[in-house]
Amino acid sequence: MIIRAAREEDAPAMGQVMVASYLAAHRDQQPADVWAKRAQEWTPEVSANGWARTLREIASNERSQDCIYVAVDDGGAIVGLAMGGPANAEELPQTGAIYALYISTRHQGQGLGRRLVQAVAEDLAQKGMTALQIGCLAANTPARGFYAAIGGRLVDERLFDEDGVMLPEVGVSKPASMRNKV
């Protein structure tokens, strides 16, 4: 597996990975009607368009602090992705955030999540961010276990607005200087 910076031509495959892994991961972690609405409206094409737009903005330096990395298998298929950038600068100065981390279901448990987080952490550290924050649904026990395994610690609990429904979310943080130990 190769971890590399994402390119605009990766957007369709990123959309496929993002939608499929999101829907698989969160099916039982939110109200059924919220999940069903997301499954109906949020297609791989919609996601791909969003990724393409974001990758163009990063390439044009419009979002110069953000980064996106992909995991590519031996056959050249994208099987995972991670996006990061600055956290809320007012509340968390010099803190980066993982905005998205998704691995295709059949490639989970192979160390790709760890490698993608490490790539984002290294990129953000080069941009002066000294800590890293990741949020996930409180009900997402597998993600919480993963974040604990890479050295994250629970720093807050809050509500997240998912299409008008408030869902419990947790924030996990770790020093970016620990990026080599991810």
Side-chain angles (χ1 to χ4, degrees):
M1 296 282 179
I2 297 170
I3 306 297
R4 64 165 172 77
R7 302 183 288 251
E8 188 175 346
E9 61 266 21
D10 297 330
M14 292 169 65
Q16 291 285 336
V17 169
M18 177 81 177
V19 171
S21 57
Y22 176 94
L23 292 175
H26 300 302
R27 181 178 199 104
D28 298 321
Q29 297 173 358
Q30 53 190 251
D33 59 328
V34 172
W35 183 90
K37 184 175 187 215
R38 174 63 74 110
Q40 181 180 13
E41 295 175 356
W42 190 47
T43 65
E45 294 78 21
V46 168
S47 180
N49 288 337
W51 285 118
R53 181 180 54 255
T54 300
L55 286 161
R56 284 191 300 273
E57 290 169 354
I58 291 170
S60 71
N61 284 325
E62 190 175 330
R63 296 177 72 158
S64 63
Q65 295 293 300
D66 292 350
C67 61
I68 303 174
Y69 287 86
V70 292
V72 183
D73 72 10
D74 295 336
I78 292 174
V79 298
L81 60 95
M83 179 179 180
N88 183 323
E90 291 177 20
E91 295 176 23
L92 301 165
Q94 296 181 304
T95 299
I98 299 283
Y99 302 150
L101 175 63
Y102 288 95
I103 311 295
S104 70
T105 306
R106 66 186 183 124
H107 290 90
Q108 292 175 5
Q110 299 177 18
L112 295 178
R114 180 180 297 266
R115 291 177 60 199
L116 284 164
V117 168
Q118 184 173 355
V120 170
E122 289 174 359
D123 190 298
L124 298 178
Q126 289 175 2
K127 295 171 180 167
M129 295 172 222
T130 59
L132 187 63
Q133 184 180 53
I134 305 170
C136 69
L137 292 176
N140 193 342
T141 305
R144 292 178 72 170
F146 168 73
Y147 299 142
I150 63 170
R153 62 180 177 77
L154 182 66
V155 292
D156 69 348
E157 296 183 36
R158 56 191 174 259
L159 292 176
F160 172 74
D161 185 349
E162 177 65 37
D163 214 14
V165 176
M166 301 307 284
L167 300 174
E169 182 180 58
V170 296
V172 177
S173 183
K174 69 183 268 92
S177 60
M178 299 278 292
R179 66 188 179 277
N180 294 328
K181 297 179 182 175
V182 170

